[in-house]
């Protein structure tokens, strides 16, 4: 009887990690289209500075920066990469996309930054690929970037 329970627990554990691995595929539609990052899904595991301000669950204020656009983007890239759990997917002047992996389970968050030319603002979208809640991790990431860029 105990062996069956242990076998069931191991099977559920392995099944969970297989599910996470299969579900952690790169979503379609990321990037900037007509000056906009992809909208957040209805689940609360996404934060975007381009969401509607009335959408309190997903909205975060855009980040106003002073200084050079390229230096600001490089500062963001250095900060995210210094965390040790991020992979740079793409980077062009004005747009950068990271995959940030959680330590314990391996959930992947897509973190995007858009710095429009001629505007001293950083738009950011941070969204989990799997699950429903992110326990505030994406909102905390926005707060960290805001602290990095705002004196």
């Amino acid at each position: 009887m105990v062996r069956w329970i242990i076998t069931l627990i191991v099977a559920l554990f392995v099944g969970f990690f297989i599910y996470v691995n299969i579900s952690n595929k790169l979503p379609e539609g990321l990037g900037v289209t007509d000056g906009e990052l992809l909208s957040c899904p209805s689940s609360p595991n996404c934060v975007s500075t381009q969401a509607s301000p009335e959408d309190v669950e997903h909205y975060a204020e855009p980040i106003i920066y002073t200084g050079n656009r390229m230096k600001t983007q490089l500062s963001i890239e250095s900060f995210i990469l210094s965390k040790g759990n991020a992979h740079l997917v793409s980077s062009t002047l004005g747009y950068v996309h990271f995959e940030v992996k959680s330590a314990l389970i391996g959930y992947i968050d897509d973190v995007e930054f858009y710095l429009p030319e001629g505007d001293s603002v950083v738009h950011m979208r941070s969204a989990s690929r799997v699950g429903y809640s992110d326990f505030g991790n994406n909102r905390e990431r926005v707060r960290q970037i805001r602290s990095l860029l705002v004196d």
Side-chain angles (χ1 to χ4, degrees), residues 15 26 28 32 71 87 92-93 101 125 143:
L26 184 67
E28 292 183 26
V32 179
K71 286 182 181 178
H87 166 72
T92 58
L93 183 57
K101 192 172 191 176
R125 179 182 184 272
R143 188 201 62 73

Side-chain angles (χ1 to χ4, degrees), residues 119-145:
D119 199 1
S120 295
V121 65
V122 176
H123 288 291
M124 181 177 175
R125 179 182 184 272
S126 185
S128 303
R129 290 184 183 174
V130 178
Y132 184 75
S133 177
D134 68 344
F135 303 105
N137 288 327
N138 289 308
R139 190 160 298 280
E140 175 61 18
R141 191 172 291 124
V142 173
R143 188 201 62 73
Q144 290 174 352
I145 295 300

